[in-house]
Amino acid sequence: MSTNTCPNCNAPIVMGAAFCDNCGAPLNAVAPPVANTPDQCPNCGATVIVTDLFCDACGQALPAAPGYPQPGQRPADPPVSPAEALPQPRLLILPTGDALILPPHQDTYVIGRLDPVSGSFPDVDLVPFGGEEGGVSRRHAQISRHGDKYAIEDLNSVNYTFVNKQKIAVGMAHDLADGDEIRLGRVLMRFRTG
């Protein structure tokens, strides 16, 4: 795997990444995959197109194509030059370090599991990161932004929400700070703002 440095903060980056894991700057040099590139469904093995969101054969949610953020984490506005980019709030999946960018145009972000059958379309889908096996509810928790402050609340999940290893009360906003550890069921993340 080839590495390079972020043009914004000079942190090492993996080639093909859409955003810098350190500062959140969009990496404009990423070439998106060709839309009709064939791939294989990880669930049933059927041939799928690399940019598809779901397998046509079995309905399995597919991982994002290389170079693309996950659905729901794609920026609303076109990418800006790295010099103009501001760090965006994000969730880092532990231990892999996959970054899920929280869209800057929203004030609330529902975190859970994508499930088209039940009509669950959270802003942050944890299915590609072990959410289903890890006990994440379809609508597990919500992060809210108030100016430059963030808070998280549990949305009456089955397997609870923990911040820095402490279970938080259902429906009560709990302040989040840069670097806080969040656990939804068995899925572990780190909240980053800068």
Side-chain angles (χ1 to χ4, degrees):
M1 202 179 304
S2 176
T3 60
N4 205 348
T5 59
C6 172
N8 188 49
C9 70
N10 291 324
I13 57 169
V14 176
M15 292 306 293
F19 296 93
C20 173
D21 287 340
N22 184 53
C23 71
L27 303 172
N28 296 334
V30 175
V34 178
N36 60 1
T37 304
D39 201 359
Q40 197 172 30
C41 173
N43 186 48
C44 71
T47 301
V48 295
I49 303 301
V50 114
T51 54
D52 285 349
L53 298 177
F54 299 96
C55 174
D56 288 335
C58 70
Q60 171 74 30
L62 300 172
Y68 278 94
Q70 291 292 323
Q73 282 94 37
R74 294 186 180 136
D77 301 320
V80 295
S81 72
E84 298 171 321
L86 296 174
Q88 294 178 334
R90 60 200 177 281
L91 295 169
L92 300 178
I93 304 295
L94 300 176
T96 64
D98 290 312
L100 303 175
I101 305 299
L102 301 179
H105 64 282
Q106 290 179 227
D107 290 329
T108 60
Y109 313 93
V110 174
I111 307 167
R113 286 189 354 244
L114 181 74
D115 184 11
V117 174
S118 69
S120 175
F121 298 95
D123 300 303
V124 179
D125 177 27
L126 294 180
V127 168
F129 307 101
E132 191 164 9
E133 303 83 11
V136 173
S137 297
R138 288 175 181 87
R139 292 179 45 88
H140 196 111
Q142 177 174 285
I143 293 178
S144 301
R145 178 176 52 148
H146 306 282
D148 61 350
K149 305 261 190 236
Y150 293 85
I152 188 169
E153 71 179 89
D154 185 272
L155 299 176
N156 201 22
S157 66
V158 172
N159 291 313
Y160 313 112
T161 300
F162 296 81
V163 176
N164 297 326
K165 299 182 176 34
Q166 299 295 314
K167 181 177 156 185
I168 65 171
V170 174
M172 299 292 293
H174 181 88
D175 290 338
L176 281 176
D178 185 48
D180 278 352
E181 178 186 281
I182 299 171
R183 183 166 59 89
L184 307 182
R186 292 183 303 277
V187 176
L188 191 61
M189 299 170 280
R190 186 160 313 280
F191 178 69
R192 301 303 303 211
T193 59

